[in-house]
Amino acid sequence: MSDRQLDDWRAQALQLENEVNQVVVGQAGAVRLITTAIFARGHVLLEGDVGVGKTTLLRAFTRGIGGGYQRVEGTIDLMPNDLVYHTYLGDDGRPHVSPGPLLSHGTNLSVFFFNEINRARPQVHSLLLRVMAERTLSAFNREHHFPHMLVFADRNQVEKEETFEIPSAARDRFMMEIPIVVPANIDTMESLIFDTRFHDVDALVDKVAPGILQFDGLNEVAALIQSSIQASPTLRRYTLDLWLATRSPADYGLKVEGVDIKRLVIAGASPRGIAMMMRAARVNAWLNGREAVLPEDIHTVFHETIAHRMVFNPIYEMRRTEIARELLSQTIRTISAA
Amino acid sequence: MLGYHRLNILLLVLCLASPLAWSADETGKAAELPPVTITANNPAREVGYHIGDILTRTVTLKVSDQYQILPTSLPIPGNQKRYRNKEQGIEIYASKLSESHRDGQNIYTLELSYQVFTSSIVAKPAALPPEFVKFSGNGKQFQVRIPSWNFRISPLAVYGSVNVSKDMSPLRGPLLISADKHRQTMVAALAILSLSLLGLLYILGNRAWLPRMGGPFARAYREVRKTSADNTGLETAISRLHQAFKQSCGQSVFSADEIIQLKPAFTPLKDDIERFFRLSRAVFFDSAEQGTPDNPNPWLRQFSRRCRDIERGMK
C-alpha cells in the first residue's frame, strides 16, 4: 500500500468525519476522536448524560463504516449466551438454535454496538473482555473470529440504579472513553430544539452515506499508519515521562486541589493503555497530514485514552471524572516535551 | 723656657706611648690562646618558667682545626652548679655534642638542656650557669668559658590575694577590659544581618537584584549565546528556550497562541514564536516540518534576545 493510498484513506476518513458532523452537530472533537479510534482499531466507550446524542453518534459512524453491524441493549437480565445464540421454536414446532448478535455476521462483523453497557451484568462484561481483547469467541465447539470488529459502547453515569460498574480490566480494553456533553454553542442548542431534522433519529442517521470506509481494509491501513508515522527519540522520552507521571504523580510534582496526591493513584496507565494512546496519537498525526507524531497529537488523545484507565483510591472514586481530568491536564502542563 | 717645652713634649710622648705598650702587651697575651668563637642560641623568652621546665640552649664553638675539644670537659648530665655550697636548682638534663669541619676550623655544636628544680612564691631570677670546656692540640691545653644566660623562674601560684587597686603604679597604666571579643561578635552579627537582608531582598525581588532582571529569558539568552553552532548546540538552545517559556508562563506551552493567551506581552513576537515552534518540531519531532529559519543558530540568539527584551518591558 502506497503513500497515495494512505492519502486516499485520509480523504475517506475526513469525508466520514464531515458526514457525521452534519448529522451530530457540536461534537466535532468527539467525532475526530472516534475517527481516530476507528483507524487505530480501538474500541470506544462513550460516556455522558441521557439524551445527549451518544447513540446517534455511534449509529452514524456505524453506517459510514459499513460491514456487519449488530446492536444489543444492556439489561440486568442479559446473559453472555444471549450474545452468542438464541433458541426458539420454529414453524415446525421443534426447537431451533440460531447465531446471536456476535455470530450472525461471521467474520464480516464490523461494529458491535453495546448500548448502556453498565446495565449488563459482570458475566457479560467478562465475555466482552475476551471478545474485545482477542476478537475471538469459542462457541459451538469452535473458535469464531471477528477480525474487523470494533466495539462501540455507551453508558450514562447519572443513573446508578440497576447498573454495574465496569471493572477496570474491562475499561482497559476500550481504547478511548469519550465524554459527550451538550454543545455549548447557543445557535447549535437552538437548532437542536427547533430544527425538525434532529427529531427523527432514524432519518437523520440515514443521511450519512453508507459504507464510506471499506471496513475490511481498515486493519491493513491501520497497520500501515502505525508503521509509517514516526516517533522521534525526543517524543519517545516525552511519552515515557507522561506515562511515569500517571503512575507516580507525586514524583513529578503534580498537584490536584483537595486531593492527597500521594494516596490518589493506586494504578496508573497500563502498558497496553499507553501503547493504545500512542496508536491513537499516530492516527491523529496521520489525519492531520503529518508523517511524525508531535506532542500535540498526544495531547489530543491523552485524556480520552488514559483517564478511564487510572485506578484511584476508593475515597476519590466519586469525583473520578473531575480528578482524572485535572490530574491529566496537570501532567501535560508540567512535563516538558523538549 | 726651651727646656720646659722639651719636658712637656716628652711627657706627651710618654702618655701616648704607655697605652700602646699596654695594648701590645694584651695583644700578645691573647695571641697566646687560640681564638675560639662562641655563639649561644638561647631560649626565646626570658620569663615564665616554672619548676620542671626544660630549657635548651645551643652553643656553637669554632676553633682552628689544630685544636680539639676534650670530651671529658663537657658538662655532665645530672650535675648541678653550687654557689656558696648551695645548689642553685638548675640541673643539666642532657648534653649532646656534634662536630663538623669547615674552612680549616672545627665546629662543635653543644646542645645543653637544663631542668628547673627550684620554685619560689615570687618571681625569682636565675641563670643557666656558665660552663667551661677545654681544648687541646698543638701541644697546648686551654679552656674557654661559655657565658651564663639569665632568666626568671615564675611561682606556680601567687601567694595570698592581690588587690590591684592598692597596687596602682603610674608606670603600669590603667587596667583595661578587652572589648575585642565583643566587637568581633558585633561585626559578625552585623555581617550576618546584612547578608540576611540582602538575601531577603533578593528573594522578595523574585530572585533578581533589580526589577525585571535575571528573568527566565535573560538567563536563557546568556546560555543560548554560548551554545555551539552544531546540532547539539541547536538542540540545547531550543530546549533552553522551551524551559524559559515554561518558567515564564508557569506551565509547559506548545503553541504561540497558548503563550500569548498566558503572556499577552509576547503578542508582537507571535510570528517569531510560531517559527520557533516550527524549528523545535523540525529538530526534535518531525524533520519534514517547513518554514524554519535558514540559519537557526544566529536566529535563535536573536530570538532569545528579543524575548528577553519583551521580558524587560521593552517593545
Side-chain angles (χ1 to χ4, degrees):
Chain A
M1 196 177 281
S2 67
D3 288 349
R4 190 172 167 188
Q5 284 171 304
L6 268 182
D7 290 342
D8 292 343
W9 273 100
R10 179 162 51 240
Q12 290 170 19
L14 295 178
Q15 186 196 344
L16 174 65
E17 256 191 14
N18 189 39
E19 298 251 353
V20 174
N21 277 324
Q22 301 293 321
V23 169
V24 185
V25 292
Q27 301 291 355
V31 170
R32 168 51 64 96
L33 286 166
I34 295 172
T35 311
T36 305
I38 290 168
F39 282 92
R41 309 308 292 146
H43 309 297
V44 176
L45 175 63
L46 296 191
E47 184 263 315
D49 296 343
V50 181
V52 290
K54 301 187 294 290
T55 309
T56 310
L57 182 61
L58 293 183
R59 282 181 62 190
F61 264 107
T62 302
R63 187 173 165 81
I65 294 172
Y69 160 66
Q70 280 296 331
R71 170 177 171 168
V72 295
E73 308 298 322
T75 57
I76 193 165
D77 58 349
L78 185 74
M79 294 304 285
N81 52 9
D82 294 329
L83 302 182
V84 179
Y85 65 90
H86 65 91
T87 55
Y88 60 97
L89 284 174
D91 295 338
D92 54 2
R94 299 174 64 181
H96 289 266
V97 178
S98 63
L102 274 174
L103 299 181
S104 59
H105 286 284
T107 56
N108 284 337
L109 180 64
S110 74
V111 174
F112 185 73
F113 181 12
F114 205 129
N115 205 17
E116 303 242 25
I117 189 172
N118 55 334
R119 290 193 182 280
R121 304 171 71 90
Q123 294 94 320
V124 179
H125 296 157
S126 296
L127 174 74
L128 273 178
L129 280 181
R130 175 173 173 185
V131 173
M132 289 165 72
E134 301 175 17
R135 290 190 167 90
T136 61
L137 175 68
S138 298
F140 306 116
N141 298 323
R142 72 183 183 90
E143 196 93 341
H144 299 267
H145 294 270
F146 318 105
H148 311 298
M149 184 199 69
L150 285 183
V151 173
F152 288 170
D154 69 6
R155 63 167 172 169
N156 78 69
Q157 283 199 320
V158 179
E159 285 185 279
K160 298 290 179 191
E161 295 293 321
E162 292 189 345
T163 61
F164 298 90
E165 191 52 51
I166 308 172
S168 59
R171 283 203 308 264
D172 200 63
R173 259 69 168 183
F174 285 102
M175 172 178 269
M176 294 186 189
E177 183 183 79
I178 304 171
I180 304 292
V181 293
V182 177
N185 184 288
I186 294 294
D187 294 336
T188 308
M189 293 171 83
E190 190 181 310
S191 66
L192 284 174
I193 301 169
F194 294 103
D195 194 339
T196 52
R197 74 187 178 102
F198 295 119
H199 298 175
D200 184 350
V201 173
D202 290 336
L204 190 65
V205 170
D206 283 347
K207 287 180 181 169
V208 175
I212 297 171
L213 302 181
Q214 192 184 342
F215 78 94
D216 54 356
L218 282 169
N219 282 341
E220 197 181 351
V221 73
L224 185 63
I225 291 168
Q226 295 302 318
S227 62
S228 58
I229 304 297
Q230 302 301 310
S232 69
T234 310
L235 188 110
R236 287 164 194 249
R237 180 71 229 174
Y238 177 56
T239 310
L240 192 62
D241 283 343
L242 288 175
W243 183 26
L244 294 175
T246 68
R247 298 179 71 80
S248 49
D251 294 348
Y252 285 80
L254 303 185
K255 288 175 188 166
V256 178
E257 197 176 340
V259 172
D260 180 358
I261 200 77
K262 288 182 181 167
R263 298 176 61 201
L264 174 64
V265 175
I266 292 176
S270 61
R272 174 172 52 200
I274 206 76
M276 282 188 176
M277 189 278 290
M278 200 60 221
R279 285 178 69 84
R282 279 194 157 107
V283 172
N284 192 68
W286 171 73
L287 284 172
N288 285 300
R290 288 193 294 270
E291 293 176 356
V293 184
L294 299 182
E296 289 87 330
D297 295 317
I298 292 178
H299 301 164
T300 304
V301 299
F302 192 60
H303 285 94
E304 287 74 15
T305 51
I306 299 296
H308 63 288
R309 302 174 201 280
M310 303 287 290
V311 182
F312 290 152
N313 191 312
I315 61 172
Y316 297 115
E317 200 57 43
M318 290 298 285
R319 295 169 55 204
R320 174 184 186 79
T321 307
E322 169 203 347
I323 291 174
R325 181 149 287 272
E326 178 58 25
L327 179 69
L328 297 181
S329 297
Q330 280 280 341
T331 306
I332 289 173
R333 285 200 292 265
T334 305
I335 307 293
S336 297
Chain B
M1 184 71 186
L2 185 63
Y4 179 75
H5 277 289
R6 281 182 182 167
L7 184 64
N8 278 349
I9 290 168
L10 184 64
L11 280 173
L12 180 65
V13 168
L14 282 173
C15 287
L16 290 173
S18 56
L20 285 174
W22 178 80
S23 174
D25 184 47
E26 284 295 304
T27 309
K29 246 179 153 181
E32 288 175 7
L33 293 177
V36 177
T37 309
I38 301 171
T39 313
N41 188 10
N42 296 310
R45 59 188 164 87
E46 296 179 349
V47 296
Y49 296 102
H50 299 96
I51 184 167
D53 284 354
I54 293 173
L55 293 80
T56 301
R57 63 188 309 209
T58 305
V59 180
T60 308
L61 304 156
K62 289 183 185 174
V63 66
S64 168
D65 59 1
Q66 295 173 331
Y67 304 97
Q68 288 82 34
I69 200 165
L70 287 178
T72 50
S73 68
L74 294 177
I76 301 166
N79 256 358
Q80 199 175 137
K81 287 275 191 303
R82 289 171 173 269
Y83 179 70
R84 291 183 182 174
N85 207 27
K86 189 179 175 187
E87 289 187 336
Q88 294 301 295
I90 309 293
E91 183 183 299
I92 294 189
Y93 179 76
S95 167
K96 185 183 168 191
L97 178 70
S98 58
E99 60 181 276
S100 61
H101 182 266
R102 195 172 63 196
D103 298 335
Q105 285 193 312
N106 284 332
I107 301 170
Y108 297 98
T109 304
L110 185 58
E111 196 173 289
L112 296 170
S113 297
Y114 297 86
Q115 188 164 23
V116 177
F117 277 111
T118 181
S119 185
S120 173
I121 57 171
V122 293
K124 178 184 175 186
L128 298 184
E131 301 290 350
F132 297 90
V133 289
K134 292 181 178 173
F135 289 84
S136 69
N138 208 14
K140 295 181 188 172
Q141 189 173 10
F142 60 94
Q143 76 173 15
V144 295
R145 178 179 183 274
I146 298 172
S148 64
W149 181 72
N150 296 326
F151 67 99
R152 318 304 176 263
I153 299 170
S154 299
L156 282 175
V158 176
Y159 180 76
S161 59
V162 176
N163 190 342
V164 177
S165 61
K166 290 180 180 173
D167 188 21
M168 302 289 277
S169 166
L171 299 175
R172 190 180 291 124
L175 292 173
L176 300 175
I177 298 172
S178 173
D180 287 351
K181 198 175 172 186
H182 298 291
R183 188 171 288 111
Q184 283 169 4
T185 307
M186 187 183 72
V187 168
L190 283 174
I192 291 169
L193 180 67
S194 306
L195 287 174
S196 305
L197 286 174
L198 277 174
L200 187 63
L201 194 69
Y202 181 69
I203 291 165
L204 291 178
N206 202 15
R207 300 184 191 285
W209 293 116
L210 291 172
R212 294 177 174 176
M213 179 187 172
F217 285 104
R219 293 198 297 272
Y221 175 55
R222 282 199 295 274
E223 290 180 30
V224 168
R225 273 190 310 178
K226 293 175 192 164
T227 51
S228 54
D230 55 5
N231 278 343
T232 312
L234 182 63
E235 289 180 6
T236 308
I238 295 173
S239 292
R240 192 63 193 80
L241 280 166
H242 274 304
Q243 278 178 34
F245 275 120
K246 183 179 179 181
Q247 287 168 359
S248 181
C249 296
Q251 64 173 67
S252 290
V253 283
F254 297 90
S255 68
D257 292 337
E258 207 176 346
I259 290 169
I260 287 165
Q261 190 184 349
L262 293 165
K263 292 275 175 182
F266 284 96
T267 307
L269 275 186
K270 187 179 180 194
D271 290 344
D272 281 339
I273 296 173
E274 282 171 352
R275 284 183 91 189
F276 167 70
F277 275 103
R278 282 199 295 274
L279 176 64
S280 171
R281 283 173 196 151
V283 170
F284 288 118
F285 303 110
D286 185 3
S287 54
E289 185 76 31
Q290 300 294 314
T292 56
D294 294 332
N295 295 312
N297 292 84
W299 184 86
L300 276 175
R301 279 195 279 278
Q302 195 183 7
F303 174 65
S304 55
R305 192 166 56 99
R306 293 196 64 195
C307 289
R308 185 203 62 179
D309 292 345
I310 294 267
E311 181 181 65
R312 290 184 177 173
M314 292 182 265
K315 297 290 179 188

